[in-house]
Amino acid sequence: MAESGHGGRPADEFFTAGGSSFSDFLAAHRPELLPTRRPFADGFRAAPDSFPHGTTVLALRYRDGVLIAGDRRATMDNLIAQRDLEKVHPADDHTAVAFAGTVGLAVDMVKLFQVELTHFEKVEGVPMTLAAKARRLATMIRQNLDQAMQGLAVVPLLAGYDTAAGPAARGRIFSYDVAGGLYEKTPFHAEGSGSPYARGALKKLYRADMSRREAALAALQALYDAADDDSATGGPDIGRRIFPIVSVITEEGFERLPEPETERLSHEMVEQRRTRPDGPHATEPRPQATTP
């Protein structure tokens, strides 16, 4: 990153005591490497739909932790810019981030966030708390406000397993606005152009006691509904064998569901849709016993 000194010696900034924020280090010594730097002069704005955008991502709490998932499509105006984009990434052992918005900036922001968490742990000797991770990501989004106002917004979704919380509240979900506003969501949330349809599907399917398999199927159903009504969202592509990314975070850490498992669940869901195109109905509540 930094230029070497004499004889291949690292630059002086590597030997200067600093804080635990890697993004602050970049801002001080190599600000041009930050993904949040302003790309255009004042008064200029990116042409609408001139850069690939990614949608849709979602997260939900389930019995063992939290699940986070995303479709694979990136669009640019009326074109499909990419069919197999990865929008869900581990941030560390117990945290994952997914994104909607401008793909190039989002990918760089995720990479910087990953380094930020690793740098903090190396400097401080302990990992950052989940709440602190959520606030740190909010700060990075706020630093991107100039670009968002120029048409290059990034809207992440953060999910994590909070080992310091009580057993019933360890799966946590955080959403953001383009100005860095931070909001904790329970028990599920979605972002991106297909998010209203995904949230609508989860409203009828969600149960707090779902197993991993049931939670994964609910996420796939929600993404299918989003793709059904939003052209920017891609459903399972059976022919090309491109399926949504589904990951879980539990006490054991982050795990991306193996592709054979996601493929099998996607086939099961698509087969169900042949007889019920609008998806499964909401589970009817059990009638309460009445006291005579």
Side-chain angles (χ1 to χ4, degrees):
M1 182 197 72
E3 294 179 0
S4 298
H6 297 292
R9 178 179 179 273
D12 290 340
E13 52 261 37
F14 285 100
F15 298 94
T16 303
S20 57
S21 171
F22 185 74
S23 57
D24 288 349
F25 176 83
L26 280 184
H29 301 289
R30 284 298 181 87
E32 71 278 5
L33 296 179
L34 285 170
T36 54
R37 66 190 184 280
R38 180 187 289 267
F40 308 119
D42 290 338
F44 285 86
R45 182 177 173 83
D49 299 314
S50 56
F51 297 92
H53 279 68
T55 56
T56 300
V57 295
L58 60 85
L60 60 100
R61 290 166 59 171
Y62 74 107
R63 186 174 61 199
D64 299 324
V66 62
L67 177 147
I68 186 166
D71 81 309
R72 307 293 296 275
R73 178 173 292 178
T75 57
M76 190 166 58
D77 196 9
N78 64 322
L79 302 177
I80 298 176
Q82 188 172 345
R83 300 180 188 275
D84 60 351
L85 177 66
E86 298 202 7
K87 305 174 189 176
V88 179
H89 302 269
D92 62 12
D93 290 343
H94 286 91
T95 317
V97 60
F99 64 82
T102 307
V103 172
L105 293 180
V107 170
D108 281 351
M109 189 178 292
V110 169
K111 291 177 180 177
L112 180 59
F113 185 57
Q114 292 168 334
V115 175
E116 184 84 356
L117 300 187
T118 301
H119 182 78
F120 178 92
E121 186 170 354
K122 288 183 179 297
V123 171
E124 298 294 337
V126 294
M128 196 181 294
T129 66
L130 182 55
K133 295 173 193 176
R135 291 193 297 269
R136 187 62 59 93
L137 185 55
T139 299
M140 294 172 64
I141 298 166
R142 194 170 300 117
Q143 292 169 345
N144 191 58
L145 183 58
D146 284 346
Q147 296 193 87
M149 294 299 99
Q150 292 181 322
L152 302 175
V154 175
V155 184
L157 184 61
L158 182 72
Y161 187 86
D162 193 345
T163 56
R170 290 182 177 174
R172 301 177 69 182
I173 302 165
F174 300 90
S175 72
Y176 303 85
D177 59 35
V178 295
L182 171 62
Y183 314 94
E184 185 163 4
K185 301 291 185 176
T186 56
F188 55 81
H189 190 65
E191 291 289 357
S193 61
S195 61
Y197 313 108
R199 287 197 298 267
L202 289 174
K203 280 183 180 179
K204 66 179 183 178
L205 297 174
Y206 181 79
R207 299 192 332 271
D209 62 344
M210 286 189 295
S211 66
R212 169 172 134 159
R213 182 180 185 279
E214 291 169 331
L217 273 173
L220 291 172
Q221 294 278 9
L223 290 171
Y224 190 103
D225 279 348
D228 199 33
D229 286 297
D230 173 47
S231 62
T233 304
D237 192 332
I238 302 297
R240 295 184 177 88
R241 299 186 64 190
I242 299 173
F243 304 98
I245 293 175
V246 181
S247 299
V248 295
I249 313 167
T250 65
E251 187 175 8
E252 286 72 35
F254 174 91
E255 179 188 358
R256 175 169 166 171
L257 267 62
E259 189 167 321
E261 182 178 353
T262 308
E263 181 175 0
R264 184 170 61 253
L265 292 174
S266 296
H267 277 281
E268 178 181 334
M269 177 196 63
V270 171
E271 190 60 34
Q272 293 172 355
R273 292 276 179 154
R274 295 184 189 278
T275 56
R276 185 174 285 177
D278 292 332
H281 294 171
T283 303
E284 293 292 336
R286 295 180 179 178
Q288 298 294 318
T290 56
T291 304

